[in-house]
Amino acid sequence: MEFQWASDVSFDGIRLEMLSDEGDVLLDISVPDEGPITINTFGKEVAANLVEAAIEVARRPR
């Protein structure tokens, strides 16, 4: 599993994309400049430990 940071011009913040070994986006963590961190799983089930790891990475200083 890999992750990458991505920006979006229509979003005030940054996104953390968690990728499968095949390069597919498993989930997307939105880290806004203000407000709560949110998780988009694109309607798929995602293992809790993956979500926990993603949140931990998203909370690290950039």
Side-chain angles (χ1 to χ4, degrees), residues 4 16 20 31 42 47 61:
Q4 65 185 14
L16 176 65
S20 70
V31 184
F42 307 102

Side-chain angles (χ1 to χ4, degrees), residues 3 5 14 16 31 37 53-62:
F3 68 90
W5 290 102
I14 194 163
L16 176 65
V31 184
I37 293 173
I55 292 169
E56 183 179 313
V57 170
R59 287 185 171 157
R60 291 181 191 164
R62 294 179 293 285

Side-chain angles (χ1 to χ4, degrees), residues 4-46:
Q4 65 185 14
W5 290 102
S7 61
D8 186 336
V9 294
S10 64
F11 176 71
D12 291 331
I14 194 163
R15 298 185 193 282
L16 176 65
E17 297 174 341
M18 302 302 288
L19 308 173
S20 70
D21 292 335
E22 294 78 29
D24 300 319
V25 178
L26 298 172
L27 59 95
D28 177 287
I29 307 283
S30 296
V31 184
D33 292 337
E34 294 182 23
I37 293 173
T38 59
I39 301 170
N40 182 355
T41 62
F42 307 102
K44 299 179 283 188
E45 290 189 16
V46 177

